[in-house]
Amino acid sequence: MAESHGTESTPAEARVVHSAGQSAIVLALAGEWQLETAAPRFADVLDPSVKADAIGFDTDNLGAWDSSLLIFLLQARDHCDTAGITFDTSGLPDRLTRLLELARAVPDRVAEPDAPQLSRVERIGTAGLVAWDAAMESVAFTGAVTDSVIRLLLRRTRMRWREFWVVVQSNSSGALGIVTLIALLVGVIIAFLGVVVLKRFGAGYYVSYLVGYGMLREMGALMTGIIMAGRTGAAFAAELGSMKITEEIDAYTTLGVSPIDHLVLPRMLGLFVMMPLLVIYADFVGMAGGMMVAVTLLDLTPTQFISGLLSAVTLSDALLGVYKGVIFGVIIGLSGCMKGMQTGTDAGAVGRSATNAVVMGITLIILANAIIDWLAALLQI
Amino acid sequence: MPHASDRTAGHVAAIDVRNRTSGDAPAIEVRDLTMRYGSLLIMEQLNFSVARGEVFVIMGGSGSGKSTLLKHLIGLKKPAEGQIIFDGVDFGNADDAGRKDILRRMGVLYQNGALWSGLTLAENVALPLAEFTSLDADAIDEVVALKLALVGLRGFEEFYPSAISGGMRKRAALARAIALDPDVLFFDEPSSGLDPISASRLDDLILELKASFGTTIVVVTHDLDSIFRIADRALFLDITKKTMTALGSPEELRDNPPSDQVHRFLTRSSEGQP
């Protein structure tokens, strides 16, 4: 153990000692040099205009030191380099000299300069190319999944049924709670809206029409789609993203096994099967919620509500919603799996993939809903 | 923390300027430590101490509990039984202030670096300085530049971890670990995932930190080249006996192995293995 020379608790100090008759400057370093206390800065100790051939050090009274002294010495050495002065390390402890050499070592790889700033036109062009690449990736992924489905139908690939049933289970009993809650509340909201508006015209009885049309054609499928995009789409992206980071997906590829067949197909088909069933369930729950409001606020009996509803809606209204459910299931599966498979390798990549999957899923669901409604209007369905 | 008068000393010593316990007391003392995951016993009856300024290696086969022991030493897990004494303070039972003080005086290099991917290298190194010291921004920048220069990453301050190689990431993580001039540095499998040149370079850095700063260094590894190169003493964890079965210099343990397991481990022998 080294001696402390009785310098404990003495603050760090650096002062200039001119050697008479020589042009060398000696800096006397003393006291305890600690990062957490104010250590002298080289620029404050030595007047840059002072002429000298060399700068040396006297460390006889130097106590304990840490990086703060090293920083001071590096500042001194930089000054010497700039002014063409000799930096004399002979008075420094060996350890300090070694650390100074280590800090000066040339990196084995030199940092490359930042890329030049892009002009506005270049930025727009770059953004366009990125969007184009993303669109092409989506098309390629959709094509790969379609190819996989066709091979499955032709029995040229095997289905991983265990994975499939896990998805079915997760999107049946696992999703019923949230679907029930949201569908019930949406039915209640539609009914409240109907009660407020239709009552003014003495047409409160027609609340059942509004609830029936609203749930079967639009809200049942739409709300289920949005719930499942947030729940299952994000889960798909996170699962596959984690597998990408741990190179499990690469392992499939290098074995010559299609990760689409093994990972994407069971998830897609699981949702493809479950979404219409969930939509039908949501329709019934939503209509039950609407009936509760109508019975409570309009003095209608449940029988009157149901008979009004049955006289208004047709099977094609219900099937339109179910058909939407199928489409939304495909959209959620595609966006979740695609974003998962495109996950990067950094720590935030999985989170970004999950977010992107949800955003993409919901956006495409609403877009698809509008297109289907437009086509239904054209075809008078 | 080193001292000027150490320049003539043949051995390395850390001087305590923060009124800590120093002298000949060990930096870390482990007493009757038992480690468990739930009801599963990992290791028991661990008794050893790490002297100031030494490089202490924890070795053992895969799954022997080396990394679990490291997690106990750095406070990520609490002992099921026993004590870990850090500079005279029982780490496991320290109050928040005592625990924070101990954490401030240790640095950890995780197996994969564990750099924060959303921060640049400079920001990674600066974070502990901003958190634990009252240095102003300019002073922090100076310390950051110094630490990155010490690990050979001068000029890479504004790079993100994803833009550099695995070896550079480990060195950047080491710069972060030494940001606060810790008394004790822990390394978890420092050579894992590195090519031999990068691994050797990291070993050089470990030895340099020991020699220059007098830092106490605890390394978890099963890399024999590294063990024989850097270790002053080594501890062997025996998975079959669920306790430590050897403690000494690697050369001593190789020449006079206290058990077959230690002999096979240090001579890369699979003799007698199923």
Side-chain angles (χ1 to χ4, degrees):
Chain A
M1 181 60 68
E3 296 170 44
S4 65
H5 289 290
T7 56
E8 285 189 17
S9 304
T10 313
E13 185 192 7
R15 59 190 172 79
V16 177
V17 181
H18 284 278
S19 299
Q22 296 177 17
S23 55
I25 290 174
V26 175
L27 289 174
L29 306 174
E32 311 277 354
W33 289 66
Q34 296 173 59
L35 269 179
E36 289 167 59
T37 54
R41 294 177 60 81
F42 180 76
D44 300 332
V45 174
L46 185 68
D47 182 354
S49 62
V50 173
K51 299 291 177 200
D53 292 335
I55 291 180
F57 301 92
D58 170 3
T59 57
D60 285 348
N61 293 314
L62 180 62
W65 50 267
D66 63 11
S67 297
S68 56
L69 178 57
L70 207 50
I71 289 169
F72 178 88
L73 293 171
L74 286 171
Q75 290 167 348
R77 194 175 57 186
D78 286 346
H79 170 77
C80 290
D81 289 348
T82 309
I85 300 171
T86 303
F87 183 72
D88 180 6
T89 59
S90 58
L92 293 174
D94 292 343
R95 292 176 182 186
L96 266 173
T97 313
R98 277 212 303 273
L99 283 170
L100 284 171
E101 283 166 11
L102 196 61
R104 200 123 209 235
V106 178
D108 49 3
R109 187 182 128 192
V110 178
E112 289 161 17
D114 291 341
Q117 194 80 19
L118 296 178
S119 69
R120 184 184 295 256
V121 174
E122 287 170 325
R123 284 204 301 275
I124 292 171
T126 305
L129 288 173
V130 169
W132 174 255
D133 286 346
M136 287 300 101
E137 276 183 37
S138 302
V139 170
F141 186 80
T142 308
V145 173
T146 308
D147 175 60
S148 181
V149 171
I150 291 169
R151 280 188 288 110
L152 181 69
L153 293 175
L154 296 175
R155 295 175 180 271
R156 287 182 188 163
T157 187
R158 278 188 304 168
M159 180 71 173
R160 287 184 73 200
W161 289 108
R162 200 176 68 172
E163 198 96 5
F164 171 83
W165 288 117
V166 168
V167 175
V168 167
Q169 191 274 332
S170 159
N171 293 292
S172 51
S173 59
L176 280 186
I178 183 74
V179 170
T180 305
L181 178 69
I182 301 296
L184 187 77
L185 291 176
V186 168
V188 166
I189 290 165
I190 293 174
F192 270 125
L193 185 70
V195 168
V196 170
V197 176
L198 296 173
K199 223 176 167 182
R200 289 185 189 169
F201 305 103
Y205 173 77
Y206 293 103
V207 163
S208 57
Y209 283 47
L210 191 63
V211 171
Y213 276 124
M215 286 308 298
L216 290 176
R217 291 181 69 99
E218 297 295 335
M219 300 311 286
L222 195 61
M223 293 314 295
T224 307
I226 290 172
I227 293 164
M228 298 308 282
R231 184 183 177 279
T232 307
F236 284 178
E239 284 167 13
L240 297 183
S242 301
M243 293 176 78
K244 182 84 186 291
I245 285 178
T246 54
E247 298 175 321
E248 291 175 53
I249 291 175
D250 293 344
Y252 276 115
T253 309
T254 50
L255 277 172
V257 175
S258 164
I260 302 277
D261 289 1
H262 271 243
L263 301 174
V264 178
L265 208 53
R267 287 173 170 78
M268 291 278 306
L269 291 184
L271 260 189
F272 182 81
V273 170
M274 289 313 298
M275 269 299 286
L277 299 178
L278 282 174
V279 169
I280 293 169
Y281 174 74
D283 288 345
F284 278 106
V285 172
M287 288 187 292
M291 188 173 73
M292 285 185 335
V293 173
V295 169
T296 311
L297 298 181
L298 292 175
D299 295 332
L300 287 176
T301 64
T303 310
Q304 284 174 315
F305 181 89
I306 291 169
S307 65
L309 191 145
L310 289 176
S311 66
V313 300
T314 62
L315 182 62
S316 61
D317 293 322
L319 288 178
L320 181 69
V322 173
Y323 172 68
K324 284 182 179 178
V326 173
I327 301 288
F328 294 168
V330 171
I331 288 173
I332 295 163
L334 270 179
S335 52
C337 292
M338 186 176 77
K339 290 301 173 189
M341 301 284 273
Q342 292 172 347
T343 300
T345 53
D346 58 301
V350 173
R352 279 198 304 279
S353 289
T355 305
N356 290 340
V358 174
V359 171
M360 184 181 178
I362 291 175
T363 307
L364 289 179
I365 282 170
I366 291 173
L367 185 67
N369 192 58
I371 292 171
I372 294 168
D373 282 347
W374 178 63
L375 288 174
L378 275 182
L379 299 170
Q380 297 185 330
I381 297 172
Chain B
M1 182 176 288
H3 193 280
S5 58
D6 288 351
R7 66 173 174 265
T8 53
H11 67 282
V12 179
I15 294 293
D16 190 340
V17 296
R18 299 174 205 136
N19 298 320
R20 292 177 209 143
T21 309
S22 59
D24 293 329
I28 303 169
E29 195 176 353
V30 173
R31 294 180 191 160
D32 299 326
L33 177 66
T34 297
M35 307 186 296
R36 292 178 190 276
Y37 277 115
S39 59
L40 178 69
L41 175 68
I42 308 296
M43 283 280 151
E44 61 183 345
Q45 285 298 310
L46 299 182
N47 285 287
F48 61 91
S49 58
V50 180
R52 289 171 195 283
E54 79 169 329
V55 177
F56 187 88
V57 167
I58 298 166
M59 58 185 189
S62 300
S64 60
K66 303 187 297 291
S67 292
T68 305
L69 174 56
L70 183 76
K71 282 181 182 171
H72 281 78
L73 294 177
I74 61 179
L76 288 179
K77 280 189 72 67
K78 282 201 166 189
E81 290 167 36
Q83 291 175 306
I84 295 167
I85 312 290
F86 196 103
D87 244 354
V89 178
D90 183 353
F91 194 12
N93 294 314
D95 58 16
D96 279 353
R99 192 176 162 76
K100 203 166 181 183
D101 181 53
I102 292 172
L103 291 173
R104 183 243 174 277
R105 286 154 47 197
M106 62 167 67
V108 185
L109 177 65
Y110 294 94
Q111 191 167 351
N112 295 312
L115 289 170
W116 298 300
S117 58
L119 304 182
T120 62
L121 300 192
E123 289 167 338
N124 263 281
V125 180
L127 197 142
L129 291 162
E131 191 68 27
F132 280 106
T133 70
S134 53
L135 296 175
D136 61 30
D138 288 343
I140 286 178
D141 286 347
E142 285 171 350
V143 179
V144 167
L146 168 69
K147 302 298 177 180
L148 286 172
L150 285 175
V151 297
L153 288 175
R154 190 152 35 92
F156 285 84
E157 284 80 358
E158 298 311 315
F159 278 60
Y160 282 90
S162 56
I164 58 176
S165 69
M168 293 165 83
R169 270 201 287 276
K170 281 225 168 156
R171 280 188 276 139
L174 179 56
R176 182 181 69 184
I178 61 172
L180 292 164
D181 290 330
D183 295 343
V184 183
L185 258 177
F186 295 93
F187 292 77
D188 189 7
E189 303 280 8
S191 56
S192 98
L194 296 184
D195 61 81
I197 298 170
S198 301
S200 167
R201 193 156 175 209
L202 201 56
D203 285 345
D204 289 342
L205 268 173
I206 291 172
L207 292 172
E208 195 60 55
L209 287 169
K210 171 194 162 183
S212 304
F213 282 110
T215 312
T216 305
I217 293 170
V218 178
V219 183
V220 165
T221 186
H222 50 208
D223 180 339
L224 285 182
D225 291 341
S226 189
I227 290 169
F228 282 106
R229 182 144 181 245
I230 63 174
D232 293 316
R233 287 192 307 147
L235 169 82
F236 185 80
L237 297 181
D238 190 334
I239 191 169
T240 59
K241 296 192 170 70
K242 291 195 179 294
T243 190
M244 54 185 276
T245 54
L247 179 62
S249 80
E251 292 77 15
E252 277 170 21
L253 297 179
R254 182 190 53 201
D255 298 340
N256 299 298
S259 70
D260 276 356
Q261 285 283 348
V262 176
H263 170 71
R264 284 202 295 267
F265 183 88
L266 289 175
T267 56
R268 287 184 201 271
S269 166
S270 58
E271 203 176 305
Q273 290 287 13

